Amino acid sequence: MNEQLSILALVAEAGPLVKLVMLTLVLASVTSWALIFQRAVTLTRAKNQGRAFEDKFWSGLDLVRIYREPSQEMPQSTEAVFRAGFKEFNRLRQQNGVDADALMEGVQRSMRVAVAREQERLERSLPMLATIGSISPYIGLFGTVWGIMNSFRGLATAQQ
């Protein structure tokens, strides 16, 4: 038994199915890490934008001015929820005969829709990450069982 036992030698000598399993697991790992980093950046950005908007909102500025001057081209996070509610408030207020309860109900409904959109945007790619996380152990188990079966076959054909 003079040969060196290294990971590269084991991979090189593996069968095509084992190589396919290893490649699948490596691709799943790389995809998972990419999704994790992307989500971390997105959530950090949303958190910072939310804090910046809250500071602006509670600074005492006129709400109409805050509504007309978005902090970016595509408002996100807390600002998107505020803008949706304020837009609905202005739309309903201009209609005649709308009582205060109906006005507030419309604003709340609009804000709930905006919150749902933001939540969907922030949770994008999580189902893919969950799928990779739940399937990968079974793929690894399959590779392990396949390797054990090949080992037993090799032992059965070996002469002592």
Side-chain angles (χ1 to χ4, degrees):
M1 194 160 170
N2 288 335
E3 58 189 61
Q4 288 283 348
L5 191 63
S6 70
I7 292 180
L8 292 177
L10 290 174
V11 170
E13 293 175 14
L17 184 65
V18 175
K19 287 180 181 176
L20 179 67
V21 167
M22 287 188 286
L23 179 66
T24 303
L25 290 174
V26 166
L27 290 175
S29 177
V30 169
T31 303
S32 295
W33 282 107
L35 291 174
I36 289 168
F37 285 126
Q38 179 211 18
R39 290 294 90 204
V41 168
T42 300
L43 293 175
T44 301
R45 186 177 300 140
K47 184 175 160 184
N48 292 338
Q49 288 173 351
R51 283 184 181 157
F53 179 75
E54 282 183 35
D55 291 343
K56 185 177 175 182
F57 182 82
W58 293 112
S59 69
L61 288 175
D62 184 30
L63 294 180
V64 175
R65 183 174 168 201
I66 294 173
Y67 175 74
R68 288 190 180 145
E69 297 174 6
S71 62
Q72 53 194 350
E73 262 184 51
M74 198 60 190
Q76 296 176 344
S77 190
T78 311
E79 185 175 2
V81 175
F82 163 76
R83 292 181 66 75
F86 198 79
K87 182 179 179 181
E88 185 68 12
F89 175 78
N90 284 333
R91 189 183 72 76
L92 290 175
R93 194 176 63 171
Q94 291 174 356
Q95 295 178 358
N96 292 330
V98 177
D99 64 337
D101 288 338
L103 180 87
M104 290 309 293
E105 194 174 300
V107 169
Q108 287 175 349
R109 183 178 53 249
S110 175
M111 291 175 81
R112 277 193 300 271
V113 169
V115 165
R117 279 191 201 124
E118 284 302 303
Q119 184 175 359
E120 182 180 325
R121 182 183 68 80
L122 293 173
E123 292 178 352
R124 193 176 303 138
S125 304
L126 289 183
M128 174 68 132
L129 192 59
T131 301
I132 291 171
S134 63
I135 289 176
S136 293
Y138 296 111
I139 295 172
L141 181 63
F142 171 73
T144 302
V145 170
W146 189 266
I148 290 172
M149 286 175 25
N150 283 340
S151 296
F152 285 150
R153 274 193 217 127
L155 288 174
T157 60
Q159 296 178 351
Q160 294 184 358

